[in-house]
Amino acid sequence: MGYYVRVEPNVKVYVEDVNPQGAKTILFLHGWPLSHEAFEYQFNVLPAKGYRCIGIDTRGFGKSDKPWGPYNLDRMADDVRGVVEALKLHHFTLAGHSYGGATAVRYMARHHGHGVSKLALFAAAAPSLTRRPGYPYGQTKEAVNQLIEETYSDRPNMLRNLENQFFFRHITKPFSDWIMYLEFAATGNSTAKVAMSFRDESLFSDLGKIKVPTLILHGIHDKVCFPELAIAQHEGIKNSKLVWFKFSGHALFYEERDKFNEELMKFIEQG
């Protein structure tokens, strides 16, 4: 079922809730510039295994409201808290991809992991998507600036070019068109401002505040969030496990979906 949750007086975010009677809950946070629908190949499988799968469309994306602002990690984490409270979630697994992974990390630090029993990060944009002094592993800020400039001048072309970084293996043109359909549901404003967020914000101090068991899944061919980011997450989060995906780029939850789903379920079922 799908419904809206009010997270600010004039802002509602869309929530898709599949198998509400599932024994264990997974709350999925999508990456930029997608929507919860990107997790179709998890939502097709995991509910049949007894899991409740909840997907949030981040503000500005998918079916959620698209205010002018703000678009930053604190606001995104607060939106997640609003959903958690509205649905009265507890003892759930928080799972985030790319910028959704960054949002999950900020939620754990800012809201002290409220309700979360386990954390799953996949191709997460943490601790920083961009390079910084003493941290040479991310994208250059110039590269992100180019994405922002192209978003304002020719967003369709920017999104089409982005696919060259997103996938390691060949995808069909219909699948490529579907991905772009998901991305077009966002506004240019939200697309650009979230890019500004992952260009400028970092999570170095947040990692050490995570106190729950954490699974880190990452493709070795990731050209968006480089593999070094996963290593930094593993080093910064106590009680974390890192699993590499040898045949994936940034979209490991699709490119190696069977392995992804199995690793996620195995992690959740562990005591």
Side-chain angles (χ1 to χ4, degrees), residues 32-127:
W32 175 91
L34 297 165
S35 73
H36 83 275
E37 294 183 65
F39 298 122
E40 176 173 328
Y41 297 89
Q42 285 65 56
F43 283 46
N44 283 348
V45 174
L46 299 178
K49 303 288 187 180
Y51 295 94
R52 179 186 186 185
C53 293
I54 302 172
I56 301 174
D57 281 352
T58 300
R59 64 168 57 208
F61 298 83
K63 299 177 183 178
S64 288
D65 286 349
K66 299 169 176 64
W68 182 249
Y71 292 94
N72 55 55
L73 288 172
D74 282 354
R75 181 63 257 173
M76 300 304 189
D78 291 351
D79 287 354
V80 174
R81 178 65 181 263
V83 172
V84 169
E85 292 185 347
L87 274 59
K88 298 181 172 57
L89 300 180
H90 54 87
H91 303 301
F92 67 93
T93 297
L94 182 60
H97 170 245
S98 195
Y99 187 77
T103 300
V105 170
R106 176 56 51 86
Y107 177 87
M108 298 302 294
R110 181 172 173 84
H111 295 286
H112 309 289
H114 177 76
V116 178
S117 59
K118 292 188 177 183
L119 175 67
L121 303 173
F122 32 104

Side-chain angles (χ1 to χ4, degrees), residues 11 21 46 51 78 86 92 94 96 104 143 145 151 170 234 246:
V11 179
Q21 305 307 315
L46 299 178
Y51 295 94
D78 291 351
F92 67 93
L94 182 60
N145 285 337
T151 297
H170 172 75
H234 185 42
K246 296 181 180 179

Side-chain angles (χ1 to χ4, degrees), residues 164-204:
N164 296 327
Q165 294 179 294
F166 206 80
F167 296 97
F168 171 61
R169 303 199 217 193
H170 172 75
I171 57 171
T172 64
K173 186 173 188 303
F175 190 88
S176 172
D177 291 343
W178 175 68
I179 290 293
M180 289 199 68
Y181 165 79
L182 300 184
E183 295 169 336
F184 281 144
T187 64
N189 172 63
S190 57
T191 300
K193 286 183 176 175
V194 169
M196 295 175 192
S197 171
F198 63 66
R199 178 195 64 191
D200 298 337
E201 296 194 76
S202 66
L203 297 141
F204 292 97

Side-chain angles (χ1 to χ4, degrees), residues 238-255:
K238 293 182 179 179
N239 197 16
S240 63
K241 176 184 178 182
L242 172 57
V243 179
W244 293 111
F245 282 63
K246 296 181 180 179
F247 305 103
S248 293
H250 196 52
L252 67 164
F253 57 92
Y254 173 73
E255 294 187 280

Side-chain angles (χ1 to χ4, degrees), residues 216-235:
I216 301 165
L217 307 176
H218 215 99
I220 66 172
H221 304 285
D222 197 328
K223 297 179 181 179
V224 179
C225 294
F226 298 127
E228 289 84 357
L229 275 66
I231 295 172
Q233 294 162 29
H234 185 42
E235 292 175 347

